[in-house]
Amino acid sequence: MNNPPLLALSGLTKAYPGVVANDDVSLTIAPGEVHALLGENGAGKSTLVKMIYGLVKPDSGTMQMHGTPFHPNEPRAARAAGVGMVFQHFSLFDALSVAENIALGMEDAPKLGTLSKQIRDVSEAYGLPLSPDRIVGDLSAGERQRVEIIRCLLQDPKLLIMDEPTSVLTPQEVEILFKTLRKLSAEGTAILYISHKLEEIRSLCDSATILRLGKVVGHCTPSETSARDMAEMMVGSILKTPLRTGKTPGDVLLDLRGLNAKSPSAFGMPLRDISVQVRAGEVLGIGGVAGNGQDELLAALSGENLSQPGMVFFKGYDIGQLSPIARRGLGILAAPEERLGHAAAPDMTLTENAMLTGAVREKLERRGMLNWPAATRFAERIIKEFDVRTPGPGNAARSLSGGNLQKFVIGREVLQRPEVLVVNQPTWGVDASAAASIRQALLDLAENGAAVIVISQDLDELMEISDRFAALNEGRLSEPRPAQGLTVDEIGLMMGGAHGMEVAHV
Amino acid sequence: MIRLEKRPQASQAFSWAAPVLAVLATMFFGGLLFAALGKDPLASITTIFWQPLFGDFAFYYRPQLLIKGAPLVLIAIGLSLGFKAGIWNIGAEGQYIMGAIFGAAAGLAFYPTESVLIFPFMILAGALGGWIWAMIPAILKVKFGTNEILVSLMLVYVAEQFLASMALGLLKNPEGFGFPGSRNLQQYGSAHNAELIAGSGMHWGVVAALIAVIFAYVLLARHRLGFAIRVTGEAPRAAKFSGVNPTRLVLFCMGMSGLLAGLAGMFEVAGPAGQVTIDFNVGYGFTAIIVAFLGRLHPFGILLAGGLMALTYIGGDIAQSQLGLPAAAIQVFQGMLLFFLLAFDLFTNYRLRMGRAEVA
């Protein structure tokens, strides 16, 4: 007896300018199956689920639901067909109650009283404690996620898509969530589960599809496959040999001694007891799943967030209390991950954006007065040396494509001859040749005696340019190890294979 | 289908054309309004815009333009610094009142001594009064995260009560036969903000406004602090990354706008108004908000906008007395100006597209 699968995708392809996000992707999900979608950032997981949820239209390929063609034009159509989705970022109004928020997301919401009762019923039935009258602003991240889940469950979905649901949850909340998901699965609701956390997937999922660079590179049964094998499939079985051979590193430039820092934002990750030394001429690669303290580490080094005395040292001096401007004066530069709005001001010209971080070291400022002609020359130099495609330095940052702006942002820091450079996702969204030239620029910097810290989600990139590799997990940094000869298994372990053992600290 | 499409980058041309278009649209629809009220639209518009400048009695009205325009420009320049950085001081009216009270009190304290030092001392006191009043919302904001819009606005009403108390109590003229109001500073030589050239309307407040315009221009275009203000308004996270200290910026912007509003109040009370009275304030602090935006938060734009706003005030008065237009109609007219400005402003960052939207 062969029932038609709940959802069958075949040959789905979606291309964006410059990148094929999904290339001939096929997979099937049976009713009640918990199916994991695995892959690195940029592997095409989000595009795939957006197509299922009707947010993105495939260029070619077909989808079938219960054996009949399924082509949602918009999320409403997908919801009507029984597809629910819980996004990584919640879309809730802080000032409204749980019931009001849920009513807003429904096509024809019942009266609030009736709805509240339904919410109570569902939350009890699935072990998701939540009072419909509470104001969303007062809820924890885990509780907010419950609101989103209950919003989906009220529509009685046949397929529930969850995009990295555990990234904002405490381990206790993860346990509750898994119980709920198992119950749903037992009742016949299929779940498409996106995550980086391999051990989670091994304990929860029945089957897995692994994507790399938009293509399906394998299927497996997680409970019978080791995390190592899955990681190898995700990363690609052969890790490139690093271009650089180990050479004797210079003096210690940057020294973190038990750096602890609270995150300024509610969903941020605090830094916990990070100790590492970075020497002149060395590239330290920092991997790890997004949201494990990457932004916070960069902010603590750039001076955007100050740290307690005795935690951050540069050439032996305590710099934890120095402002970003003072740190730039010393030669500590940084390039944050978010290009628009953080590394650059979107509506300002490239000249103004060159002034943004270049004022001190490029001497674009004298006794508070700004030298705009010099800033324009600096911007022109960045444009020329980093091959930024733009009509000129008078154009607004937001008129540049993501890759070109990235080249500008990295170039702006590299050209200021840093002694310590910290970059987060330096080649994110940049085409292959530009990425190679950015990496080369980082290597050249190190060659000339700078200490470079590269934070990235791209393991291939980190293996290519790092001398030593460490991973961030839950705000902690693993012991750095020489990148050469590091196996996928070891990287996987450093990235959080053993994360279940850290529960006691949360 | 008509739809709006975001421009890849803000149109410079439109950002300057918007105020001109807004004025033209206001003239047109204002004319329709006046016609509906049974007045000759053309005559009404020329009365408002032409008479004060080139009419038969222009010799009387032109000085009035300076007298009304100067406080508007002075206050609006201060406000524009904060507005550019996303710091919303709505309480300039209160800071203007406090500047006037401090300035007047500083002068009256020496009555009837005559000295050239008294007027400069009053200027300092007026600036201090406005600054203190603005630092209340500023400090509450940086220490406790309160909303500066609400606090500064509510402090306007506190200042008004304080003004009434002063006019009826501490600062009341002892020789005023019991009438409310302070001594008239116009009759106290050392404290009088007199016209620099008789009959021109040019007093020290006008000079201060012009200096403020130039100062603000240099600050925003050439100084690190002005750049910090602009970046903070455009992208707060990028500003913080570049090393801007948000707390200091709030204190500077609020303090500066309060200081300039206080100066405006002081020059007004020592000159055109003469006295601290219960109804001393006439809304310059609120109108200056319109002036700041009408001038695109640009110092020279604010200078022009202040002049234009003063023109509609004076022209409106003339139209009221000569054509019998109701005061409310003039206020609607002024409101239209801001309305159309904001409407046309949209096209600085967006453009209209006709035709069906393509499904994404």
Side-chain angles (χ1 to χ4, degrees), chain B residues 144-166:
Chain B
F144 304 110
T146 55
N147 183 326
E148 76 277 16
I149 299 176
L150 295 175
V151 179
S152 64
L153 180 61
M154 288 190 292
L155 281 171
V156 172
Y157 305 108
V158 177
E160 281 178 348
Q161 298 306 315
F162 191 65
L163 174 72
S165 151
M166 284 293 136

Side-chain angles (χ1 to χ4, degrees), chain A residues 304-305 324-325 328 334 336 338 341-342 344-348 352 355-357 365 368-370 372 395-396 398-399 412, chain B residues 6-10 218 220-225 227 230-231 234-244 349 359-360:
Chain A
E304 218 174 320
N305 294 342
I325 293 174
R328 281 194 196 105
E338 179 76 41
H342 196 184
D347 287 316
M348 295 186 124
E352 287 169 313
M355 180 68 85
L356 199 65
T357 70
E365 174 192 331
M369 300 307 280
L370 306 177
W372 287 114
N395 283 62
R398 80 169 142 97
S399 70
R412 181 179 68 185
Chain B
K6 194 159 176 139
R7 293 176 192 266
Q9 66 182 28
V218 174
L220 289 172
R222 297 254 170 264
H223 197 272
R224 177 177 54 184
L225 196 55
F227 185 58
R230 291 195 290 133
V231 180
E234 298 272 359
R237 282 186 78 202
K240 196 146 179 270
F241 167 65
S242 84
V244 176
N349 281 310
V359 178

Side-chain angles (χ1 to χ4, degrees), chain A residues 406-421:
Chain A
Q406 185 68 32
K407 288 192 270 184
F408 183 85
V409 166
I410 298 286
R412 181 179 68 185
E413 308 306 326
V414 167
L415 287 183
Q416 291 182 53
R417 309 166 309 280
E419 294 210 48
V420 173
L421 178 64

